[in-house]
Amino acid sequence: MNALLTDPTEFASLLQRFFAERLLQQKNASPRTIAAYRDTFRLLFGYAERERGTPPAKLALNDFDSTLALDFLTYLETERHNTVRSRNARLAAVRAFAHYVALQCPPALQLMQQILAIPMKRFEKPLLGFLSRDEVQALLAAPDTTTWCGLRDRMMLTLLYNSGARVSEMIGIRVADVTLATTSSVRLHGKGRKQRTVPLWKETAAEIRRWLAYADLRAEHPLVPTRKGLPMTRTNVAERLALAVSEATERCPQLQGRRISPHTLRHTTAMHLLQAGVDLTVIALWLGHESPVTTHGYVEADLAMKERALATIAPPGAKRQRYRPTDAVLKFLESL
C-alpha cells in the first residue's frame, strides 16, 4: 500500500490546504460556506473517533473511505435526526474534499472515486406552508412594544414579512443597509454574495425609525441586535418568533399547533405577493431566487388560485354558459 495513504500528516496537510487554499484563496468561498464545511468535518471526526477509535490526529487517507462516509451519513439521519436536506449538505462538503484529494493525491484516486459515487438522497417536497393576512396581523401585534425586546421583535417580524428575507439575511442587516427616505428600502446580503434591495412599506419604515430612535444604534451596528449588541443568531430569531406565535394564539386560535418558522414568513410574503397579482419573475427577484422556476412552488401551494382557474373551465359534458354582457357593458357599446 502506498505510504501516502497511511500517513496521518498527509491527510492533515490535504485538509488544511483544502480550507486555506481551495476554499479561501481559489474559490473565495463565503464565510457561511466555510463554516458549514468546518462543522461537517467536526462531526465526521467526532464520529470516527467514537465509532472507530481513531482520533482526528491519527486519521489517514486510508481511513477516509466510502464506508466511513456512508456510516456517517446514516448516523446523521438515525441518531442526530437530521433531515435529508441536511444529510445532503454534509455529503456535499465530504464530496468537495474528496474531489480535491483526487486531484492532489493520485494514489488516493480510487478511494475518492468511491466517495464521489455516493448519490444525493431524494426526498419528498411538502407543500409550502404560509399564513393568512389575519394570522400575520395577529403575529405582528403580539410583541409588547413597551419593552426593549418587544419593540425590537415587532420591528424584526414586520421587516421579515415585508422583505421576505432569509434568517441569515435578516441577522446580517446593518443600520447602514437601511435607507429611510421618501422611498425607503433595505439592502440584503443574500446567498452567494448576491445583494438585492427591497422596498419598504411606510408602516415598516415607521417601525424601523421608532426602533432606531429608541435603541440609539450607529451605522455599523446590527439592525437586529441582542442585549449585548451582537447580531442575533438563527436560534435567537426562532425563539423570539415562537414566543410571538404563543402570544398571538390567544387572539388567533387557528395558530394553535402550527409549526411556524422564520422561513414560513418568507413563504407568506411570496404567497401574498402572488395573490395580489405580482408576476412570478418579480417575486423571484424580491426573494433572491436564481430562477423563477424556484418560485413556481408558491403557485402549487395556493389552492385558491387553482379553484379560480378551475372555475373558468366547464367540466366534461356540462353545458357551457353563454356569455351575457352586463348593463354597463351594453351602455358602453352603445356609446361607441
Side-chain angles (χ1 to χ4, degrees), residues 180 201-211:
L180 299 176
W201 300 319
K202 292 181 179 179
E203 295 80 3
T204 307
E207 289 290 347
I208 295 177
R209 286 192 184 94
R210 184 181 177 188
W211 164 246

Side-chain angles (χ1 to χ4, degrees), residues 51-335:
E51 297 298 325
R52 295 193 175 186
T54 307
K58 293 185 178 181
L59 274 176
L61 284 173
N62 196 41
D63 300 314
F64 184 68
D65 55 11
S66 59
T67 303
L68 175 63
L70 287 170
D71 290 345
F72 171 63
L73 295 174
T74 302
Y75 155 75
L76 292 178
E77 291 189 78
T78 57
E79 295 189 35
R80 286 183 61 86
H81 305 291
N82 287 172
T83 64
V84 177
R85 287 179 181 269
S86 298
R87 178 259 191 201
N88 288 345
R90 301 301 185 193
L91 175 57
V94 172
R95 287 170 60 173
F97 177 61
H99 180 73
Y100 177 76
V101 173
L103 295 174
Q104 298 295 320
C105 185
L109 180 58
Q110 184 178 7
L111 287 173
M112 298 307 106
Q113 285 178 332
Q114 293 173 357
I115 293 177
L116 292 172
I118 299 174
M120 294 291 179
K121 182 176 285 190
R122 298 176 64 88
F123 56 91
E124 294 183 358
K125 296 182 180 180
L127 290 176
L128 302 175
F130 62 97
L131 305 178
S132 67
R133 297 183 184 276
D134 290 340
E135 291 168 343
V136 171
Q137 187 175 3
L139 183 63
L140 299 183
D144 181 8
T145 54
T146 61
T147 66
W148 188 93
C149 289
L151 195 61
R152 179 204 58 194
D153 291 352
R154 170 78 66 85
M155 183 276 301
M156 177 185 70
L157 295 176
T158 304
L159 185 55
L160 271 174
Y161 173 57
N162 184 159
S163 64
R166 302 177 179 91
V167 181
S168 58
E169 295 169 343
M170 167 61 62
I171 60 181
I173 298 175
R174 301 283 174 175
V175 175
D177 293 324
V178 179
T179 300
L180 299 176
T182 305
T183 303
S184 300
S185 62
V186 60
R187 183 170 63 251
L188 301 177
H189 304 270
K191 296 169 65 176
R193 290 194 176 89
K194 294 180 180 179
Q195 297 185 10
R196 68 185 187 278
T197 301
V198 177
L200 299 176
W201 300 319
K202 292 181 179 179
E203 295 80 3
T204 307
E207 289 290 347
I208 295 177
R209 286 192 184 94
R210 184 181 177 188
W211 164 246
L212 293 178
Y214 180 86
D216 192 25
L217 301 176
R218 298 180 182 178
E220 68 275 10
H221 289 167
L223 180 66
V224 188
T226 62
R227 277 287 192 178
K228 296 181 179 180
L230 301 174
M232 293 182 72
T233 64
R234 294 170 181 267
T235 303
N236 293 151
V237 176
E239 288 175 348
R240 300 306 300 180
L241 175 59
L243 180 61
V245 171
S246 178
E247 295 291 335
T249 301
E250 297 181 4
R251 59 177 67 92
C252 190
Q254 56 265 39
L255 291 173
Q256 184 71 39
R258 297 273 299 276
R259 183 178 180 181
I260 300 173
S261 68
H263 217 69
T264 305
L265 284 178
R266 176 173 166 85
H267 294 328
T268 300
T269 303
M271 290 302 303
H272 290 180
L273 288 171
L274 184 63
Q275 292 167 350
V278 179
D279 189 79
L280 277 176
T281 55
V282 176
I283 298 176
L285 292 172
W286 193 293
L287 299 180
H289 289 163
E290 289 189 4
S291 169
V293 176
T294 310
T295 320
H296 288 170
Y298 297 108
V299 180
E300 178 66 27
D302 191 0
L303 183 60
M305 290 184 65
K306 294 178 183 178
E307 291 176 344
R308 289 195 297 270
L310 183 64
T312 63
I313 305 174
K319 188 176 180 179
R320 296 181 61 88
Q321 294 289 334
R322 186 176 179 181
Y323 172 69
R324 297 179 180 275
T326 62
D327 293 340
V329 173
L330 290 174
K331 288 183 179 179
F332 173 74
L333 293 174
E334 291 173 357
S335 67

